[in-house]
């Protein structure tokens, strides 16, 4: 080829290479490392030569996603229930008010005298729903007051008016733990509840509107005082026994501490003398998911769609604490509801379907605001000396501020009423830098000289120094661990009580966790029956 022709050919080839830099790179790399063509796609090489990143041809779009959308039947069910409830709300607006929460027929005690509460609120009047079994003797000395758990009604056993089985059906009756041939048993729905007793869903007599979250903060002691108003109306001066499990076990102790001369024997099962951080944390979590349901509406949801989704989740959290890991291992293991189907984000494992079912059963049968108030009262529970003295001081101060009829003494709204809310303070809480040190110092100061239970608790339970007391715990209980019942028994014994019977059921005896008190007729029922003889 002649020189001009060769030059023209070289310029033409160079022009083609410059117009296609990738060819230039490939040519250059191939000339040096022909056995490593993969380097032609190296980002570092591409960037070094100022080339755009190489991409394979994009796939042809068919209009469909790579994977099908997942189905969510659990959310479909919630949406369907919301739509149904919305429809019912519209219907009721034409036909009348919504039905009340109910567990069946009860007797109602109405008190016209105001009840001053521990944290400064007042109920100008209130109702207590109750049921009873067995016959009261002539001198009314065979009465047993049965205290309920958090969400239970007064329906502990079937009655002629309500033949449905009660929550302690197998424990009450002739020859059973609470022997109706010997005793007259009374069970109430707690103050703050929704099964006939005055609570947030009740009407405020001051304005004819539902209390909602204008209802004042309650304590276990407030609930017990209301119960003893009922006993006064029935002419019962002294109980043969105060009996309770879970929250009822707390109230049973409180009844003896508040009214030591009016209580004979005390039974406290799977309870505590003061709430501890773990149980407070679990109840806090339940309240949070409930309050964050948009339908909660800061407590003013009556006549509207209730916060059923929040209630369902709250119940599922609670159910996790009510039963035990060992039982679930045996009952559910890692089995799935339908192994033939692919995994799902909705309930899929058997344990998930169990929790889902528990939430479904509960979400429309209990007033959400009652759950908030009653569970908060559990958190505030403390029978220690210092807590009792602080409550007494508050009550003395508030009694001066409120008049006899429940109105403020000066005719205006009491400053105490403003404090009875479920709202946080204006300034968020902050953990203090020295909180751990001060906490440790307080614990050291509170330990009894013998190294036993807290001295504060020993003194707080001193009023029970001469009462026969049965304390029962369950090793598989994670909500009220067995050490909390041991703490009660030890505090009573350090206070001089020589009539304390303490039983702890091992995991071999019961795998049912906290719910053992509802299920174990042999061990729990047998111990109660022997103790009451």
């Amino acid at each position: 080829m002649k020189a001009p022709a060769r030059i023209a050919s070289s310029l033409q080839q160079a022009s083609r290479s410059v117009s296609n830099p990738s060819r230039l790179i490939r040519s250059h790399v191939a000339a040096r490392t022909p056995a490593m063509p993969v380097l032609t796609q190296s980002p570092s090489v591409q960037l070094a030569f100022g080339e755009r990143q190489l991409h394979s041809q994009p796939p042809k779009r068919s209009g469909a996603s790579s994977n099908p959308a997942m189905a969510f039947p659990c959310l479909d069910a919630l949406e369907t229930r919301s739509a149904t409830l919305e429809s019912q709300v519209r219907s009721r607006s034409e036909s009348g008010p919504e039905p009340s929460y109910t567990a069946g027929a009860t007797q109602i005690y109405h008190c016209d005298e105001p009840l001053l509460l521990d944290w400064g609120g007042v109920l100008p009047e209130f109702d207590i729903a109750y049921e009873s079994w067995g016959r009261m003797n002539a001198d009314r000395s065979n009465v047993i007051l049965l205290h309920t758990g958090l969400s239970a009604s007064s329906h502990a056993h079937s009655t002629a008016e309500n033949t449905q089985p009660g929550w302690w059906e197998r424990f009450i009756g002739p020859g059973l733990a609470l022997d109706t041939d010997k005793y007259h048993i009374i069970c109430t729905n707690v103050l703050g509840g929704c099964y006939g007793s005055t609570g947030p869903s009740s009407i405020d007599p001051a304005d004819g509107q539902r209390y909602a979250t204008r209802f004042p903060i309650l304590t276990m002691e407030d609930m017990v005082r209301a119960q003893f108003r009922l006993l006064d109306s029935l002419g019962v001066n002294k109980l043969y026994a105060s009996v309770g499990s879970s929250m009822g076990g707390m109230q049973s102790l409180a009844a003896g501490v508040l009214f030591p001369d009016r209580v004979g024997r005390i039974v406290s099962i799977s309870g505590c003398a003061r709430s501890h951080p773990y149980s407070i944390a679990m109840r806090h979590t339940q309240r949070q998911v409930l309050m964050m349901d948009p339908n909660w509406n800061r407590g003013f949801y009556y006549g509207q769609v209730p916060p059923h989704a929040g209630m369902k989740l709250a119940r599922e959290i609670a159910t996790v604490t009510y039963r035990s890991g060992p039982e679930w291992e045996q009952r559910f293991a890692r089995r799935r509801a339908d192994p033939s189907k692919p995994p799902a984000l909705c309930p899929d494992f058997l344990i998930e379907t169990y929790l889902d079912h528990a939430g479904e059963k509960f979400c429309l049968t209990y007033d959400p605001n009652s759950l908030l108030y009653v569970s908060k009262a559990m958190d505030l529970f403390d029978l220690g000396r210092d807590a009792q003295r602080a409550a007494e001081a508050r009550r003395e101060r508030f009694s001066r501020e409120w008049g006899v009829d429940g109105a403020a003494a000066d005719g205006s709204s009491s400053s105490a009423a403003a404090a009875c809310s479920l709202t946080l303070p204006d300034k968020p809480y902050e953990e203090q830098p020295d909180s751990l040190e001060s906490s440790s110092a307080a614990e050291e100061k509170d330990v009894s000289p013998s190294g036993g239970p807290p001295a504060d608790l020993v003194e707080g339970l001193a009023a029970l120094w001469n009462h026969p007391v049965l304390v029962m715990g369950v090793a598989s209980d994670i909500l009220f661990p067995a050490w909390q019942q041991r703490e009660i028994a030890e505090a009573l014994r350090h206070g001089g009580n020589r009539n304390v019977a303490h039983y702890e059921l091992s995991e071999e005896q019961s795998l049912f966790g906290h719910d053992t008190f509802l299920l174990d007729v042999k061990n729990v029922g047998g111990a109660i029956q022997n103790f009451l003889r």
Side-chain angles (χ1 to χ4, degrees), residues 1-7:
M1 186 182 292
K2 294 183 179 180
R6 286 198 302 272
I7 293 172

Side-chain angles (χ1 to χ4, degrees), residues 73 159 162-163 176 218 222 228 257 271 276 287 296 324 362 386 426 435 479:
T159 63
N162 184 355
T163 58
L176 300 181
L218 291 168
D222 292 328
F228 272 75
V257 170
H276 293 273
R287 290 193 297 270
W296 183 61
S324 76
F362 184 76
D386 292 343
D426 294 334
S435 60
L479 182 59

Side-chain angles (χ1 to χ4, degrees), residues 80-99 101 303-306 308 364:
T80 299
R81 183 161 59 231
S82 290
T84 301
L85 292 170
E86 183 67 43
S87 175
Q88 292 173 354
V89 168
R90 288 195 296 268
S91 298
R92 284 197 298 265
S93 65
E94 300 173 359
S95 61
E98 63 182 350
Y101 294 99
Q304 305 173 35
V305 175
H308 60 93
L364 292 176

Side-chain angles (χ1 to χ4, degrees), residues 113-124 126 191 216-219 221-223 225-226 229 391-392 394-404 406 414 416:
E113 297 181 8
L115 181 67
L116 180 67
L117 308 177
D118 278 339
W119 281 97
V122 68
L123 295 176
F126 63 92
L191 191 70
I217 288 291
L218 291 168
T219 66
E221 290 85 348
D222 292 328
M223 298 174 186
R225 291 188 185 95
R229 293 274 187 96
E392 290 169 1
R394 285 195 307 273
R395 291 183 65 83
E396 183 178 351
R397 183 173 74 254
F398 294 144
S399 65
R400 292 195 299 267
E401 296 178 2
W402 295 92
V404 175
S414 170

Side-chain angles (χ1 to χ4, degrees), residues 259-281:
F259 304 98
D261 296 333
R262 299 188 62 182
V263 177
R265 297 167 177 260
I266 295 171
V267 176
S268 180
I269 304 167
S270 297
C272 64
R274 59 191 354 165
S275 285
H276 293 273
Y278 174 78
S279 60
I280 294 174

Side-chain angles (χ1 to χ4, degrees), residues 23-40 45 49:
R23 172 189 282 182
L24 181 62
I25 294 173
R26 286 195 296 271
S27 174
H28 174 75
V29 174
R32 298 187 61 182
T33 55
M36 300 177 62
V38 71
L39 292 179
T40 60
V45 174
F49 284 86

